[in-house]
Amino acid sequence: MKKLILTAALFLGFQESSKACAWYDPDYEYFNLFAQEIIHDKTYEPFLLTYSSHFYGYDYNGKLDKNIPDENIESWVKYFDNKLTYDETNALVTKVDIKHLNSLKKGQLTHSLFQKLGKGFYTKYQEAMDYLIQAKYMEPYMRINYVENADAYYYRNEKTAEKNATQLNYAKTNAALISLYKAASNPEIKLRYAYQLVRFNHYSRKYQSSINDFQTYVEPLKLKNHMYYYALDQKAGAERGLKQFDKANWDFFQVFKNTKNKKESAYNSMFLATDKDFNKILAQTKTPEDKNMAYFLLAYNSFNNPVPIMNKMIENNTESDILKVLTVRAINQLERNYLVVNPYCNDKECDHFRNKRLPLYAPDNYRDETMDFAKDLEATIVLAKNKKGADEFWQLCEAYIKFLNTDYKGSQNILSKIKTSDKEYLAEIQKFKMLNEIVSQPTITPAFENSLMTKYAKVFQEKGDYSNWAYLPSTKDFVVDILANRYFIEKQDAKSFLMNNNLSDLQYNPNSDLVKKVEEFYKKPNKTAFENYLVKKMEDIADPESFFYVIYGDRAMRLADFKKAKEFYSKAKNYKGIPRLMGDWKDDGKTYVEKPMVFENGVYNGFNNIASLVFGYNVWESFQSKPEESMKAEGLSNFPFIKNKMNKIELADAIIQLENIGKGNDDKARLANQLLGNLLYNTSVLGYFRELFVMDVDNYNGPKFQFGNELQSPFYLYYKNFSSRSYVEPDNFDLAINYYKKALTLSKDKENQARILFQMASAEQGKYYQWEANNPLKVKYDDPKYEEKSKQNELFANKTKNEKFRTSFAQLKANYSQTATYKNLQSSCLYFGYYTSK
């Protein structure tokens, strides 16, 4: 069951989560309330915290979702005197085919972009256009020839693996680039040709030539723009090819520091195996910001507690963007441990957590040295905040840490003092003020409910695309869970349920107590505005009253209160069937589309089309076989009022008639009691028709049909994930046994008595399963006496089973061993055969 629990102590392990399933998304496991993206330098966004992909901001296809401007395109926009927009320039540089550029060179306008610009565009920017023609010619080949195993450093794109730099004529291409470099008069174009030379030699595996070209053609230009660092990136690759790792690391570090959209590739290209590699970079840094960059790489790569490193960075430069990146990463990691979407707890833990305000955190295991991470992080943030020149970013961070540590008053006080015009900061301030107010409420009163819809209506009107498996939990989802927990604590179960569920979801756990509370809320007069908002979540059922009555009728049936069941069913004549949805994935693989289930004619729909075989007995136990294959009718010809197909009203009526007949003393009374025992067993968790009275559409295995903690509800903190945690009141197998006992006393046939005893034994087996599930005999795997204790537990369970839950088997073995029924059961029922062999 999902919970949200939090203490000020925190175990913070900076290691990436991993799961076996390819579709698993660890970023779905927590409520991301603190927007990491508030850092001002968006080029650092890929280095924000994510466990779903290698870098933050990439979708499931490896495409960057974030809009980080391409500095190369920006430079071309400026070069072309802003005659082209960013998008037009991007098209010219990366999308327009080379044939159109060659046509333009001949004075032919074959592309719409050039038709707009005119022939004079080539004349004015001839050097640039000639460069683009050369660059587009070379681009398909600009990758290294991949050598299996020997080149793990280089990325291999399977789609274009057939082309690489070695397929170009080396001498001709190299000479052409040198000639074009010398002919160009514009230093920027010269630098671009120099870049192509360094890259071409790198990808041709002529590593030393690549380094020499950088020194010969790049450095003399003395231009330190982005193309210089692009060329330096290629030189560093060549150095790495020569295993000059220290030189390569330093050059890649310069690329990381000085480019906008090469930071990820530069980081990936560094050879950072030990702390020594970082220290060598750190030793070469000269400015405070350079040192902060080096410290960031150390913290980012090692996943250690970042607080000591952050403190060093604060001393260097409090307003460093890279320091802020590390800070929001640390806060986000803290948030992941505090605001878990699907937490679980055992009974003891939940008793402890039930009366704390949320959010709360309780680690299963933690080390002493990491227990105070939240406290240490807050102290570091306060240190930065108090530095001269520190901006409101640090106040915002401190306010959020206080919120996580349940100091809502302190958080609100800081938020109220922040003065800023930054739109992103203002949005966070407004959000955190709302969260502080909601989470700090000691009781959810009608007045507070009305204020929710007055002040925060927009939050509750947000519609998340829950059918999309890529959807991430939102602020609204967090608020919903908070309120659901508050209502649960205050024993307002109906509201707690409706915060996370629709009315139709009751079908998955139709326990009477909760259903009754939801019905009472449905009928409650004078609802608040917020309560009316919750009522809308009941609109997925056209006739809620009939829905409730069917659930009540089902429960009465399982309690053998057949007259009461008929009364409830009679009030649900308009019931249209279980409101089940069927779904399937769209072709995009992300979107799950649901449609109402359509029941075919003659098929059980939750109310109609119940087969008379529900009164029969098992031929063999196979839930997925057809009814006539698994079940056999028993004496139905004696009771013509039992129809072949019945609705629940008709079924209840037939049962009532059987119950009246069963009060007699003749063989017909014996058969009536036997049929009633069959019905109760067949509709129990062990029976072929186990779906009939638990709001299910078929007998396929699922949470409803498994033995678990049956004596109490599994919902400890709220009703989140309602359909995945089953709680239907347990079967009372004694009810079936009592009818079988009546039948046994009235039976005069030895074979019939033997079969009744076996049916009683099957019901006793159900009682044993309940006992076993509610009395788990646990032995820890690390117990040195694991095998010995496990064997003792097994012996104890078998002893209990034989002494308390095998009375009918004992009678069969003692008194009916000569019957054909007994001999047949020995061969057809394995566990009975095993029992009798002992």
Side-chain angles (χ1 to χ4, degrees), residues 1 347 354 488 493 509 511 513-514 709-719 722 725-728:
M1 186 59 210
D347 298 353
R354 194 171 281 112
F488 190 92
D493 292 76
N509 288 284
N511 69 82
D513 181 58
L514 178 59
N709 295 322
E710 294 188 326
L711 300 183
Q712 59 183 340
S713 169
F715 304 107
Y716 302 112
L717 297 169
Y718 45 22
Y719 295 100
F722 189 72
R725 304 296 304 276
S726 181
Y727 180 63
V728 180

Side-chain angles (χ1 to χ4, degrees), residues 185-425:
S185 59
N186 187 300
E188 289 187 40
I189 302 301
K190 254 188 189 317
L191 181 55
R192 290 184 181 276
Y193 282 121
Y195 158 74
Q196 295 289 356
L197 271 165
V198 177
R199 182 168 70 150
F200 176 58
N201 276 282
H202 171 207
Y203 289 161
S204 297
R205 293 188 180 275
K206 298 184 181 300
Y207 300 132
Q208 190 58 56
S209 294
S210 177
I211 296 170
N212 293 342
D213 283 348
F214 184 87
Q215 296 168 343
T216 303
Y217 300 109
V218 175
E219 288 183 341
L221 296 175
K222 300 187 183 302
L223 286 177
K224 286 291 186 78
N225 61 14
H226 75 284
M227 286 308 301
Y228 170 86
Y229 292 105
Y230 282 17
L232 184 64
D233 184 51
Q234 295 298 323
K235 176 202 171 206
E239 289 168 334
R240 179 157 179 166
L242 294 173
K243 301 190 183 306
Q244 298 173 358
F245 297 124
D246 291 344
K247 290 182 179 180
N249 281 347
W250 178 249
D251 285 341
F252 280 131
F253 178 69
Q254 301 302 310
V255 177
F256 176 85
K257 184 181 69 169
N258 292 291
T259 62
K260 291 181 180 180
N261 54 355
K262 288 282 186 182
K263 293 185 185 297
E264 299 140 84
S265 64
Y267 173 80
N268 275 338
S269 299
M270 293 185 201
F271 186 82
L272 304 172
T274 67
D275 287 355
K276 290 182 179 179
D277 298 315
F278 291 99
N279 291 331
K280 288 177 181 177
I281 293 175
L282 184 63
Q284 297 181 72
T285 58
K286 297 179 181 179
T287 68
E289 187 60 7
D290 282 0
K291 293 184 184 300
N292 274 3
M293 290 279 184
Y295 280 131
F296 171 79
L297 293 178
L298 176 60
Y300 183 83
N301 190 68
S302 62
F303 299 101
N304 290 323
N305 183 339
V307 166
I309 296 176
M310 289 171 63
N311 289 335
K312 292 180 180 179
M313 294 173 74
I314 289 170
E315 292 301 317
N316 288 329
N317 180 12
T318 307
E319 290 314 294
S320 167
D321 284 314
I322 204 71
L323 168 61
K324 292 179 179 178
V325 172
L326 196 57
T327 302
V328 295
R329 281 176 56 87
I331 291 175
N332 192 260
Q333 181 65 59
L334 190 67
E335 188 177 54
R336 285 168 181 263
N337 287 274
Y338 280 87
L339 307 181
V340 182
V341 169
N342 291 316
Y344 291 88
C345 65
N346 59 37
D347 298 353
K348 184 177 179 181
E349 289 174 336
C350 290
D351 287 339
H352 176 67
F353 297 138
R354 194 171 281 112
N355 297 315
K356 288 188 175 185
R357 311 315 299 169
L358 294 184
L360 303 171
Y361 172 81
D364 294 326
N365 300 290
Y366 53 84
R367 298 169 295 176
D368 291 340
E369 63 265 28
T370 59
M371 284 181 63
D372 295 325
F373 177 80
K375 179 181 176 182
D376 292 344
L377 180 58
E378 182 176 5
T380 294
I381 288 171
V382 171
L383 175 66
K385 183 189 74 170
N386 293 334
K387 280 281 185 178
K388 184 178 180 181
D391 66 18
E392 58 273 17
F393 168 87
W394 299 103
Q395 293 174 280
L396 195 58
C397 292
E398 183 188 11
Y400 189 63
I401 295 290
K402 287 187 179 296
F403 163 76
L404 288 180
N405 285 329
T406 69
D407 183 4
Y408 309 122
K409 184 177 180 180
S411 176
Q412 206 75 333
N413 184 48
I414 293 172
L415 293 170
S416 64
K417 294 179 180 178
I418 298 177
K419 299 188 183 304
T420 182
S421 59
D422 186 286
K423 291 182 179 179
E424 290 181 307
Y425 289 176

Side-chain angles (χ1 to χ4, degrees), residues 43-157:
T43 64
Y44 288 119
E45 278 195 10
F47 296 90
L48 299 177
L49 191 66
T50 179
Y51 290 158
S52 296
S53 58
H54 194 57
F55 289 108
Y56 182 83
Y58 285 83
D59 64 17
Y60 297 94
N61 296 314
K63 183 180 179 182
L64 184 64
D65 281 340
K66 306 300 178 184
N67 186 24
I68 299 176
D70 187 319
E71 57 204 322
N72 185 44
I73 302 302
E74 289 179 331
S75 73
W76 278 117
V77 170
K78 185 178 179 181
Y79 185 91
F80 292 128
D81 302 312
N82 296 302
K83 286 184 170 60
L84 285 76
T85 66
Y86 180 93
D87 289 338
E88 288 173 334
T89 307
N90 184 54
L92 171 61
V93 175
T94 66
K95 299 176 182 178
V96 176
D97 193 271
I98 189 174
K99 66 182 180 181
H100 296 296
L101 275 73
N102 279 320
S103 295
L104 178 65
K105 187 173 183 178
K106 298 174 184 177
Q108 300 169 0
L109 306 178
T110 58
H111 192 277
S112 58
L113 179 61
F114 299 144
Q115 290 167 5
K116 172 187 173 182
L117 296 171
K119 297 178 182 179
F121 187 78
Y122 176 81
T123 305
K124 183 169 184 179
Y125 302 108
Q126 180 179 344
E127 280 195 350
M129 299 306 291
D130 287 344
Y131 167 78
L132 287 175
I133 290 172
Q134 179 66 24
K136 285 178 181 286
Y137 166 72
M138 294 180 62
E139 188 60 33
Y141 301 93
M142 285 301 98
R143 57 190 53 83
I144 204 156
N145 61 315
Y146 185 83
V147 177
E148 196 70 35
N149 296 326
D151 262 303
Y153 159 63
Y154 293 104
Y155 172 68
R156 185 181 190 186
N157 186 329

Side-chain angles (χ1 to χ4, degrees), residues 768 771 776-780 786-800:
Y768 169 73
W771 173 85
L777 304 173
K778 296 181 180 178
V779 182
K780 293 184 177 180
Y786 173 78
E787 290 187 8
E788 179 184 339
K789 290 182 179 180
S790 295
K791 190 172 183 179
Q792 290 175 351
N793 285 345
E794 185 179 354
L795 291 172
F796 175 71
N798 288 333
K799 184 174 182 294
T800 302

